[in-house]
Amino acid sequence: MGGLLTPALLLAAFSFLSSEEGGLLHQLVPHVEEAAYLSGERQTLLLSIVALESRGNAQAEARGSVWGAGQVSWRDWGLLLREEGVAQEAPDLLDPRDGTVGIGVVLQDLRKRYARRWPMRWRDHAVLCLYGHGRAALAFREGCDYSRRVLGLERRLQRELVPMEVAVR
């Protein structure tokens, strides 16, 4: 998939990004591919989270205890990330690889712990609400604004990819 994800394609799918941000996001593609392989998550989903959370900036640090490209909450996920060997302390998530793999590790853990609580059609929404809002999302019944935004971005990226994949064949 990496060869198909050019900066121009990412800008077309994520029109809110500047050309500089599209370039930053493109630089994370190899790490997204690794994170997807290790976690079983879709590359397009991981890219959509990174685009929404940090606009491709692996060095993003904001809102207290959230770090890296996916704005992973160290307060909520630090122990898991240590156990999985992804990061030993919060600033490790500023490394493009560690921060991106951290997103996959967190999503995989959320799926294992909580996904069966929701019908199949709401599982992506549920996991993304938990990722974006923490345990408070357990009260949500049909997703949340965060999950709708991430999944909407993912659909746009997938629509942009289809013509590219056909042209490559």
Side-chain angles (χ1 to χ4, degrees):
M1 183 175 176
L4 297 176
L5 289 172
T6 64
L9 177 84
L10 293 171
L11 287 172
F14 304 131
S15 57
F16 60 90
L17 295 176
S18 69
S19 59
E20 180 182 339
E21 292 165 337
L24 289 172
L25 187 60
H26 184 259
Q27 291 174 8
L28 293 175
V29 168
H31 305 300
V32 167
E33 290 172 341
E34 180 183 4
Y37 175 78
L38 294 173
S39 67
E41 294 295 334
R42 300 181 305 276
Q43 291 179 35
T44 51
L45 180 65
L46 296 170
L47 274 169
S48 298
I49 289 170
V50 170
L52 183 65
E53 289 286 353
S54 70
R55 301 172 91 83
N57 181 2
Q59 301 294 310
E61 177 184 350
R63 301 189 310 264
S65 71
V66 295
W67 298 75
Q71 295 291 276
V72 174
S73 171
W74 185 258
R75 183 182 60 242
D76 294 337
W77 301 108
L79 182 60
L80 171 70
L81 295 172
R82 274 193 195 108
E83 289 171 356
E84 294 294 325
V86 173
Q88 293 305 306
E89 53 190 49
D92 292 345
L93 294 174
L94 297 176
D95 175 81
R97 184 223 174 252
D98 295 347
T100 307
V101 169
I103 301 165
V105 167
V106 170
L107 291 174
Q108 183 181 46
D109 186 71
L110 288 169
R111 285 192 196 283
K112 285 180 189 172
R113 279 206 254 174
Y114 298 108
R116 283 187 230 116
R117 293 183 183 206
W118 287 274
M120 182 65 89
R121 68 175 191 212
W122 289 112
R123 288 189 183 161
D124 275 345
H125 281 284
V127 167
L128 289 168
C129 288
L130 286 162
Y131 181 88
H133 295 287
R135 293 180 56 82
L138 292 173
F140 299 156
R141 292 278 179 237
E142 296 183 358
C144 60
D145 184 54
Y146 180 80
S147 68
R148 285 187 283 278
R149 288 171 54 206
V150 170
L151 293 171
L153 288 174
E154 183 185 28
R155 281 189 296 276
R156 284 170 54 191
L157 180 57
Q158 289 169 339
R159 278 194 307 270
E160 293 291 332
L161 279 173
V162 170
M164 293 291 293
E165 289 175 346
V166 170
V168 170
R169 291 183 186 155

